[in-house]
Amino acid sequence: MGAVEVVPGVSGGTIAFVTGIYRELVASLASFGPATIGWCLTDPKRFWRHHNLAFLSCLGAGMAVSLLVFAQLVSHWLASAPTLVWGFFFGLILYSAIDIGRARAPRQLLPLGITGGLCGASAGLIQPLGVEPGPLAHLIGGALAVGAWLLPAVSGSFVLLLLGLYASVLGALAEFDWPVLAVFALGCALGAALFSRLFRWLLARRFEAVMSFLTGLMAGGLLRLWPWRHEGALLTPAEWGRATGAGEGDAGLVLVLMGLGAGSLWLLTRMRSAAE
């Protein structure tokens, strides 16, 4: 989840969903509230169990390590081989949409999926707002990014990209700028407390409808990840090769990376099925 969240257009919530930990994650985050704060001092064991901190600690540690490692690697890969990076994640998200969508009832998937698809495709046309990086911007950006991160179709990194804060946050991760990271983390904590309650309420009452909409949203968002693009235009592999001077081998390598992205998520779903 930490690794994919570095890339704009890819959601850590997608990984949580296909690996079977999504509902536990939302419920654990939503369990925090003013009424339980005092338990931290008066009854630490109850506080630990009530908030499922064993689960959240393991997940948080894995994500923290992954973010610190992959923030620098992804920055390098996006600069040196962006087409391959987008190809890998295009395959990963494509399989995610198929895996989530095939479990939905057609009577809900068709209308809500189409609506979500239009919203996802339209999001790619929105221009970045160009918010000036600063403590308040990073606080609000962190809250909104976590709201997107919790959805198994929307990328927190993409929200930061739309706000114009992606470069400053990624730079802070790569350079270990702790003041910026601390403010951003506080925003993330506030966003997690707010949005997890909202999503828990929606999932408890309209689970199939929400998942059908998110399937379409994920599929529509694939336009943002299309690897064969040049100067903002979406091209076929052949057109991309002529426009960039790349050979057939380069286009074929992108297809291989797409297969690896889809295959990695397929493997995760098989592991989840075996565990169940």
Side-chain angles (χ1 to χ4, degrees):
M1 288 175 65
V4 301
E5 197 58 41
V6 175
V7 182
V10 186
S11 172
T14 300
I15 305 301
F17 191 84
V18 299
T19 52
I21 66 171
Y22 181 71
R23 300 191 82 165
E24 182 179 7
L25 172 62
V26 170
S28 299
L29 292 175
S31 67
F32 287 89
T36 65
I37 296 297
W39 297 350
C40 185
L41 298 176
T42 60
D43 195 345
K45 290 185 178 179
R46 184 184 182 188
F47 182 83
W48 181 273
R49 290 193 301 269
H50 178 79
H51 297 304
N52 199 11
L53 290 181
F55 164 76
L56 290 178
S57 297
C58 290
L59 183 66
M63 289 190 64
V65 171
S66 187
L67 277 169
L68 292 174
V69 171
F70 280 92
Q72 299 184 53
L73 288 177
V74 170
S75 296
H76 172 71
W77 290 337
L78 284 174
S80 60
T83 305
L84 298 182
V85 175
W86 298 128
F88 177 85
F89 285 107
F90 185 94
L92 187 147
I93 298 303
L94 176 62
Y95 183 83
S96 300
I98 294 172
D99 186 63
I100 296 173
R102 66 185 178 186
R104 313 275 74 82
R107 60 184 178 83
Q108 285 193 324
L109 181 61
L110 187 59
L112 293 174
I114 291 175
T115 303
L118 292 174
C119 291
S122 299
L125 303 177
I126 301 175
Q127 297 298 316
L129 298 179
V131 175
E132 184 68 25
L136 182 60
H138 286 128
L139 183 74
I140 296 174
L144 295 178
V146 163
W149 168 74
L150 284 172
L151 289 172
V154 185
S155 165
S157 294
F158 182 65
V159 170
L160 292 177
L161 195 65
L162 290 181
L163 293 174
L165 297 174
Y166 178 74
S168 65
V169 173
L170 189 63
L173 281 169
E175 299 170 8
F176 303 104
D177 189 341
W178 297 115
V180 171
L181 294 178
V183 173
F184 183 74
L186 177 60
C188 290
L190 295 174
L194 174 63
F195 288 108
S196 61
R197 292 175 181 269
L198 173 62
F199 296 153
R200 183 177 63 174
W201 183 86
L202 287 173
L203 290 170
R205 288 161 177 77
R206 295 289 186 270
F207 180 79
E208 288 299 324
V210 170
M211 288 298 102
S212 296
F213 177 81
L214 292 178
T215 298
L217 193 67
M218 192 182 307
L222 285 171
L223 288 177
R224 298 194 304 270
L225 299 176
W226 184 252
W228 294 292
R229 59 174 67 229
H230 182 66
E231 297 180 352
L234 305 183
L235 307 175
T236 66
E239 291 172 336
W240 175 80
R242 289 194 294 269
T244 61
E248 294 183 2
D250 292 331
L253 187 57
V254 176
L255 290 174
V256 171
L257 267 294
M258 281 186 179
L260 287 175
S264 64
L265 207 55
W266 174 86
L267 182 60
L268 283 176
T269 59
R270 300 287 76 77
M271 292 170 62
R272 179 191 67 186
S273 299
E276 294 173 349

